Amino acid sequence: MTEMNKTWILRARPVGEVKETDLELVEAPLAPLNEGEVRARTIYLSLDPTNRIWMSDMDAYLPPVGLGDPMRGGGLGLVTESRFDGLEPGDIVNTGLAHWSLYNTLPGAGLAKMPQLPGVPLTAFMGPIGATGMTAYFGLMDIGKPKEGETVVVSAAAGAVGSMVGQIAKIQGCRVVGIAGSDDKCKWLVETAGFDAAINYKKEDVGAMLDKHCPDGIDINFENVGGEIMDAVIARLNDFSRMPLCGLISTYNATDPVPGPYNFANLLMRRTLVKGFIVIDYYPRFAEGIQQMAQWLMERKLKFETDVVRGLENAPSSLSRLFEGKNLGKLVVQVSDEPNKS
Ligand SMILES: NC(=O)c1ccc[n+]([C@@H]2O[C@H](COP(=O)([O-])OP(=O)(O)OC[C@H]3O[C@@H](n4cnc5c(N)ncnc54)[C@H](OP(=O)(O)O)[C@@H]3O)[C@@H](O)[C@H]2O)c1
């Protein structure tokens, strides 16, 4: 009997938050593989704030997902069939920019096979040594250029990117202040991830708390959020500060034009370097980033959490966890069991 695939298809452009009816889960038979292709059954599907951007018809860094097309997304897959020399059933690969599908059929060339690292769980390849880890590593190290003794502030600090940024900055000898949306997250940041301080922006006056926790001003603002939080940080930047502009999640569901930043002039007065970046720009240097992050992981210098939702059918409804701040660490959908863990 022909095996069936399941794929989420984008049916409507979301207005504001994504609704489940914006996508449809469609079943279709799997086609036979062509020469050079592999089939990978998704183990973990990455859910990312940028999924929301890809659903909008906007001028972004990648074209939008077309209406009627499979939703774009990546993760880890178990090779179940291969017509590509160099990959065989049982291998685990990073599927790159594939689909929100049970199975992805992919060109074998260029697929990265995941190595086994002692003591490192597979979920690390979705976090510290995956795309979000690379975002943190290159955004901070290449653009932020942290120096010992400097003060680094990171927003969405308990998320996939932010939690890595803060810990890498600590390894570089910086003072690190995180901004996050709950007391539990702030506790995790200080007690587990080793941040010097954390601010609960939903309860506390961010500006006043930044004044308290950053007595020498702010040298690096790793920006994940935008809006009022970004404004409060910009107002406290030091001369020749740096601002890796990684994300603006507070604006992704906006239906009206987004105002600000109100403290824009301070970027001029402080001669701040602001640089937007997209992690895919760093693909050619991923090996370097993965090697360093893997080493820190194996030395137990990085703590990470994975927020796991089970079932491909829950992908669209789970995306809201990112916008409601329900996730601690990297949000993934577990689509099928890890090998040897079933
Ligand atoms: N440039 C790149 O290549 C690149 C790559 C990956 C990610 N990013 C960006 O990096 C940022 C973090 O992404 P991630 O994958 O690591 O997600 P994440 O931080 O794991 O999850 C998103 C977090 O954002 C916070 N948040 C949501 N809405 C907010 C709002 N209105 N105000 C303040 N905080 C809000 C929530 O935490 P709280 O509980 O703290 O509110 C939520 O947990 C996003 O902006 C994303 O677009 C950029």
Side-chain angles (χ1 to χ4, degrees):
M1 210 174 68
T2 315
E3 212 171 342
M4 300 295 281
N5 197 6
K6 290 181 186 174
T7 299
W8 279 103
I9 303 291
L10 185 66
R11 291 289 182 215
R13 302 246 171 251
V15 179
E17 287 170 24
V18 175
K19 296 188 295 301
E20 278 193 62
T21 49
D22 294 330
L23 296 108
E24 184 190 1
L25 189 59
V26 169
E27 289 201 31
L30 286 168
L33 287 188
N34 294 314
E35 192 57 40
E37 289 182 335
V38 300
R39 183 112 64 217
R41 189 176 67 224
T42 306
I43 304 171
Y44 293 112
L45 169 69
S46 181
L47 288 190
D48 299 276
T50 201
N51 295 153
R52 177 66 187 82
I53 295 174
W54 294 342
M55 290 180 194
S56 291
D57 189 9
M58 63 188 279
D59 184 14
Y61 63 96
L62 284 178
V65 174
L67 291 180
D69 288 347
M71 181 57 203
R72 184 189 291 140
L76 297 179
L78 179 72
V79 175
T80 54
E81 276 180 78
S82 176
R83 291 191 64 192
F84 174 76
D85 284 344
L87 286 172
E88 54 188 48
D91 289 342
I92 295 177
V93 291
N94 184 328
T95 58
L97 291 178
H99 297 145
W100 284 17
S101 293
L102 175 57
Y103 289 96
N104 277 290
T105 302
L106 303 157
L111 275 187
K113 180 174 156 183
M114 298 297 103
Q116 290 207 331
L117 301 176
V120 175
L122 198 54
T123 46
F125 290 94
M126 302 293 291
I129 46 179
T132 49
M134 294 305 97
T135 307
Y137 180 81
F138 287 111
L140 182 68
M141 299 302 285
D142 201 53
I143 301 170
K145 297 197 189 315
K147 295 187 213 53
E148 196 173 344
E150 289 191 324
T151 298
V152 177
V153 171
V154 56
S155 47
V161 174
S163 60
M164 290 301 120
V165 168
Q167 293 181 76
I168 299 167
K170 282 306 298 177
I171 293 170
Q172 303 307 307
C174 298
R175 174 171 180 76
V176 177
V177 177
I179 304 175
S182 75
D183 287 344
D184 283 348
K185 287 184 179 186
C186 288
K187 188 168 184 283
W188 183 86
L189 287 171
V190 173
E191 293 182 5
T192 303
F195 284 42
D196 295 285
I199 300 168
N200 179 348
Y201 73 91
K202 289 188 180 163
K203 269 183 33 181
E204 297 178 295
D205 177 332
V206 174
M209 295 311 283
L210 285 171
D211 288 338
K212 176 179 169 190
H213 294 306
C214 307
D216 300 326
I218 298 165
D219 300 293
I220 299 176
N221 172 31
F222 195 102
E223 187 56 57
N224 281 326
V225 164
E228 288 174 16
I229 293 174
M230 178 173 72
D231 258 315
V233 182
I234 288 178
R236 290 161 178 82
L237 289 172
N238 288 335
D239 284 353
F240 307 107
S241 45
R242 285 83 66 202
M243 181 166 143
L245 178 51
C246 176
L248 296 166
I249 192 169
S250 71
T251 68
Y252 297 167
N253 282 326
T255 48
D256 293 323
V258 175
Y262 294 102
N263 288 322
F264 192 70
N266 208 38
L267 299 173
L268 167 64
M269 304 312 163
R270 304 279 73 83
R271 289 84 97 200
T272 301
L273 171 78
V274 182
K275 188 172 190 306
F277 74 100
I278 299 292
V279 69
I280 51 180
D281 304 338
Y282 286 98
Y283 268 152
R285 291 179 57 192
F286 264 30
E288 167 197 336
I290 290 171
Q291 191 185 22
Q292 179 60 84
M293 292 290 278
Q295 188 184 323
W296 285 332
L297 259 184
M298 289 189 287
E299 291 169 356
R300 301 188 186 285
K301 289 182 176 163
L302 295 175
K303 303 288 188 317
F304 75 99
E305 295 286 335
T306 314
D307 189 67
V308 183
V309 177
R310 283 194 76 95
L312 182 63
E313 65 280 9
N314 293 317
S317 57
S318 305
L319 199 57
S320 63
R321 294 179 72 75
L322 297 168
F323 295 89
E324 292 166 3
K326 288 189 176 152
N327 63 308
L328 175 65
K330 178 75 193 95
L331 176 62
V332 300
V333 177
Q334 182 150 25
V335 176
S336 63
D337 287 327
E338 289 188 22
N340 309 323
K341 278 204 174 177
S342 46

